[in-house]
Amino acid sequence: MSETNRSTGTQLVKRGLAEMLKGGVIMDVVDAGQARIAEDAGATAVMALERVPSDIRRDGGVARMSDPEMIEAIQEAVTIPVMAKARIGHFAEAQILESLGVDYVDESEVLTPADEAHHIDKWAFTVPFVCGATNLGEALRRISEGACLIRSKGEAGTGNIVEAVRHLRSILGDLRRITQADAAELFDWAKQLRAPLPLVQEVAETGRLPVPMFCAGGIATPADASLVMQLGAEAVFVGSGIFKSDDPAPRARAIVEATTNFADPTLLAKVSRGLGDAMPGLEIGSLETRLADRGW
Amino acid sequence: MKVGVLALQGAFASHAAMLGGAGATPVEVRRADQLAEVDALVMPGGESTTMSMLLDVTELREPLADRLADGMPVFGTCAGMILLAVEVLDGRSDQRSLGVIDLDVRRNGYGRQVDSFETDLEVEGLDGTFHGVFIRAPLVERVGPAVEVLAEVEGRPVLCRQGNVLVSAFHPELAGDARIHRRFLEAAFASGAGTA
């Protein structure tokens, strides 16, 4: 058979995978065993990393890309997409992850940044990237660098949903406000947001980001997943919230069911029963390091 | 005509927008009572393992199998195609499919996300080409005698029909072209769906 004219790594193909992950739960896993538990529970993808954010927070030190051997073991263990994290600005880590065939790279503030001025030029890659954002300007800057999926950052490893809510409300609130701006005001919006004018004009017209927006950072219960989905997130990332809880498998499944049925309180009550203790939470005011402040 | 979109997970909103644009009334289906009210159903792309698990916990699997056995028109894309096929290769060992179109499909048979691609397709019965978007797409490994192949990529079927069951390995809901959705609706209407 003759070779057809296939285009890989296009924006449509990259954003397309994010479309397929909507309404689902992406779970942080540190080994093949956890990856299988996540897949059994109905995760749409797993994020392979060496330590979950709450352990990174506890241990301190420099957090880096995971060992390729560990990532490959997770790829072998599951059939769902496997994502992995690279440090902010560390394009060499991203190149390695791409060569391993990971399905999405997360340029993540949870790892220690490698560049304090520049993010990765994500247009240069075939593999798609997800990036965190705390506000609309940050989201648009990441998209202008080639990110195909935005996640609100929240505060990873805390089990505290308050920052995720703050960031979602900030992004979605500004999206609502910017649609009311007239053409002249958009120049100032672009300046305030430190984002490219054409992208600012585009979101002012459509009222939404040009890529999907998911939520991360602090989701620990089915109710948390419902809250952020009702606020406007299109899917959720759960980091420490599953494998730092008392009984990960039932909690993972409950969060999956809650994300599908986020607007059905009766069902949410049913799936929230008897899950044991959630991960211990942290007050934001008591944190030594605010991970969400990383990124520029 | 009320057309359900299975909304357990995945690209259901894009399908609903396509169906609305093509003149149908899209209805999100997450429960058996919602399924009972629709004349036809679209099963979107997403993760087939997730959807399969949710079909069980929402107790939708049996009513869905009953409606399909009764001949309800259905259009499955990507993960939807996997769920409707007879056999799934490289899936999870406990993965169960509905078996209403005589195909064997290999999950992620075109490779990982870095191998996901776009290409123009010749589709039987459509003028001009159709832009096919393939995301970690399933590969058809066997085609039963009753299955009509409507489009191919390198000799492998990517759009197939058997009776009221239409499946695609690609994502027509992402290409901004409603011709395949429209064709599904016309065939569903012609088969008597939505006329009762």
Side-chain angles (χ1 to χ4, degrees):
Chain A
M1 275 298 145
S2 65
E3 189 77 0
T4 44
N5 190 14
R6 294 186 189 188
S7 317
T8 56
T10 61
Q11 282 299 294
L12 190 54
V13 161
K14 289 174 168 179
R15 291 176 187 181
L17 181 57
E19 292 290 326
M20 297 312 133
L21 298 170
K22 282 183 177 176
V25 183
I26 300 151
M27 302 183 191
D28 278 5
V29 298
V30 301
D31 57 39
Q34 288 189 353
R36 277 188 215 100
I37 292 172
E39 188 181 57
D40 287 345
T44 50
V46 290
M47 176 75 72
L49 72 178
E50 226 142 52
R51 292 174 288 171
V52 294
S54 65
D55 287 340
I56 291 174
R57 204 175 269 294
R58 188 197 60 207
D59 300 347
V62 173
R64 310 180 178 89
M65 176 188 81
S66 298
D67 186 329
E69 199 171 274
M70 172 272 220
I71 293 168
E72 283 171 349
I74 289 172
Q75 287 173 319
E76 282 300 307
V78 294
T79 63
I80 55 180
V82 176
M83 304 185 174
K85 290 183 192 287
R87 284 178 266 179
I88 290 172
H90 206 315
F91 53 83
E93 284 187 347
Q95 289 161 352
I96 292 168
L97 294 174
E98 180 173 66
S99 81
L100 294 173
V102 305
D103 295 295
Y104 244 92
V105 173
D106 184 3
E107 186 181 18
S108 178
E109 71 282 0
V110 168
L111 306 185
T112 310
D115 189 322
E116 293 191 329
H118 310 97
H119 283 250
I120 297 170
D121 169 13
K122 295 165 272 288
W123 298 105
F125 288 78
T126 302
V127 66
F129 280 74
V130 51
C131 287
T134 58
N135 57 52
L136 182 58
E138 206 175 351
L140 295 180
R141 289 196 295 280
R142 297 297 83 81
I143 292 166
S144 73
E145 297 154 3
C148 297
L149 171 60
I150 293 295
R151 54 173 173 76
S152 57
K153 282 181 179 171
E155 192 57 34
T158 61
N160 189 336
I161 199 67
V162 66
E163 293 300 296
V165 169
R166 187 193 319 282
H167 300 155
L168 270 179
R169 281 202 181 275
S170 171
I171 294 168
L172 294 164
D174 269 351
L175 281 170
R176 281 188 287 267
R177 280 184 280 276
I178 199 170
T179 60
Q180 303 301 309
D182 73 15
E185 288 167 340
L186 291 180
F187 295 97
D188 190 52
W189 269 94
K191 198 166 64 185
Q192 302 296 334
L193 293 173
R194 295 189 289 129
L197 182 64
L199 208 43
V200 169
Q201 289 166 328
E202 183 186 336
V203 300
E205 177 72 31
T206 63
R208 51 179 302 137
L209 295 179
V211 304
M213 185 174 68
F214 296 177
C215 176
I219 294 162
T221 68
D224 289 345
S226 166
L227 174 68
V228 299
M229 291 293 287
Q230 290 191 57
L231 284 170
E234 296 178 288
V236 299
F237 284 86
V238 185
S240 322
I242 290 169
F243 289 102
K244 287 293 166 186
S245 72
D246 255 10
D247 197 357
R251 180 167 297 268
R253 178 169 286 223
I255 293 176
V256 169
E257 288 188 57
T259 304
T260 291
N261 297 291
F262 66 87
D264 183 342
T266 313
L267 204 134
L268 291 164
K270 195 177 123 198
V271 304
S272 299
R273 278 168 216 269
L275 295 178
D277 286 340
M279 70 177 281
L282 294 171
E283 276 290 342
I284 303 300
S286 70
L287 300 179
E288 271 178 40
T289 308
R290 302 275 290 254
L291 299 174
D293 293 344
R294 296 168 167 177
W296 8 93
Chain B
M1 186 162 55
K2 269 192 179 177
V3 181
V5 184
L6 189 66
L8 298 176
Q9 190 272 316
F12 53 86
S14 308
H15 273 294
M18 277 282 178
L19 292 166
T25 309
V27 180
E28 290 187 1
V29 172
R30 293 185 178 83
R31 297 190 313 261
D33 60 312
Q34 295 164 332
L35 178 66
E37 299 204 339
V38 302
D39 303 306
L41 184 71
V42 171
M43 295 173 59
E47 279 307 311
S48 61
T49 50
T50 304
M51 284 188 224
S52 185
M53 186 281 268
L54 288 167
L55 277 178
D56 289 327
V57 299
T58 56
E59 295 174 359
L60 259 176
R61 188 182 292 272
E62 270 188 43
L64 175 57
D66 290 347
R67 289 291 315 265
L68 292 171
D70 287 346
M72 174 182 66
V74 64
F75 178 21
T77 59
C78 196
M81 177 194 216
I82 294 171
L83 292 172
L84 292 166
V86 165
E87 185 153 4
V88 181
L89 309 165
D90 287 350
R92 289 164 51 89
S93 52
D94 59 348
Q95 195 163 349
R96 290 195 293 148
S97 48
L98 293 154
V100 292
I101 185 162
D102 193 10
L103 297 174
D104 293 352
V105 298
R106 187 174 297 282
R107 275 191 75 198
N108 308 326
Y110 289 91
R112 296 182 188 279
Q113 172 60 16
V114 289
D115 306 307
S116 290
F117 63 97
E118 303 176 36
T119 194
D120 285 327
L121 306 169
E122 303 282 343
V123 176
E124 199 183 297
L126 289 188
D127 292 333
T129 56
F130 192 93
H131 197 63
V133 183
F134 293 77
I135 312 283
R136 287 169 48 95
L139 182 69
V140 173
E141 294 277 20
R142 186 192 61 82
V143 184
V147 175
E148 255 179 292
V149 176
L150 304 174
E152 291 185 344
V153 168
E154 290 162 21
R156 300 289 194 141
V158 295
L159 180 67
C160 298
R161 180 172 58 202
Q162 181 178 350
N164 279 344
V165 183
L166 179 69
V167 295
S168 69
F170 56 96
H171 293 282
E173 79 283 7
L174 296 183
D177 182 340
R179 285 180 294 165
I180 295 179
H181 285 84
R182 226 176 278 128
R183 198 159 138 177
F184 169 66
L185 293 174
E186 284 161 11
F189 194 74
S191 78
T195 53

